[in-house]
Amino acid sequence: MNKKEFIINPLGYVRHNGTGFYLELLEKYAGASRGLEGFNYINVLWWANLTDGNEYRAILECEQPYKGAPEKVGVFATRSPGRPNPISLSSVNVLSFEKGKIHVAYIDAEDGTPIIDIKPYHPSLDRIRDVKVPDWCSHWPKWYEDSADFNWEAEFISAR
């Protein structure tokens, strides 16, 4: 392996089947979810394959993506999938487990999106008490659970 390159293989794929969302693990990784049953939230790292092209990987700054944000924002200050390495992170509510599948309440990824890692959400590692954010997004929900009722469409100027 070249020290300047990394190899990432999908562990499985995000699936939407009309009735819900689930993470379908490749058979050789099915055993890797053993022990997750006690967690009701997990962090899913996924490859934003729909924006994995040179034009998207070259994006370093965005025109004002959110109302009230600066005129230009670096992609590291956004959750945009268009970025040098199209890696995305979603914290998801686990509904149930079955062999090779993890059923989740929702995930902001498309059907067929490659999953590159799964980690348990643990409050002692993933929750921070005193978080500071810029003024332009300080009115956004403070908790994940409140995000479902927030009018996110009113926050975005345009989507790339």
Side-chain angles (χ1 to χ4, degrees):
M1 179 170 86
N2 182 328
K3 291 183 182 181
K4 293 183 181 182
E5 294 180 7
F6 301 92
I7 297 171
I8 296 178
N9 295 307
L11 307 178
Y13 297 90
V14 172
R15 298 292 182 209
H16 301 194
N17 63 6
T19 60
F21 301 86
Y22 61 95
L23 311 177
E24 182 178 57
L25 301 177
L26 297 176
E27 189 174 338
K28 67 181 180 177
Y29 298 113
S33 66
R34 189 171 293 117
L36 275 181
E37 298 86 359
F39 293 92
N40 71 334
Y41 278 86
I42 56 176
N43 289 320
V44 180
L45 291 142
W46 48 275
W47 195 261
N49 58 310
L50 299 180
T51 57
D52 186 7
N54 291 337
E55 68 183 85
Y56 293 106
R57 285 175 171 250
I59 297 171
L60 301 179
E61 293 182 329
C62 306
E63 298 296 323
Q64 185 181 32
Y66 314 109
K67 289 184 179 169
E71 286 184 32
K72 283 199 180 260
V73 177
V75 294
F76 297 156
T78 75
R79 300 288 293 236
S80 172
R83 52 197 323 111
N85 290 313
I87 299 170
S88 293
L89 167 69
S90 299
S91 295
V92 299
N93 179 215
V94 175
L95 301 176
S96 65
F97 294 89
E98 63 180 276
K99 187 175 176 25
K101 292 182 182 177
I102 303 171
H103 294 269
V104 298
Y106 175 78
I107 185 166
D108 56 339
E110 300 295 326
D111 185 58
T113 296
I115 299 165
I116 58 175
D117 203 1
I118 297 172
K119 299 176 186 294
Y121 176 93
H122 199 286
S124 65
L125 302 171
D126 297 314
R127 185 173 56 189
I128 300 168
R129 185 175 294 124
D130 298 314
V131 175
K132 181 181 177 222
V133 298
D135 288 340
W136 54 266
C137 62
S138 62
H139 65 285
W140 292 3
K142 305 290 183 256
W143 297 99
Y144 174 84
E145 295 85 354
D146 298 334
S147 292
D149 298 324
F150 186 72
N151 185 3
W152 287 106
E153 288 181 18
E155 297 300 311
F156 291 95
I157 303 257
S158 66
R160 271 193 176 244

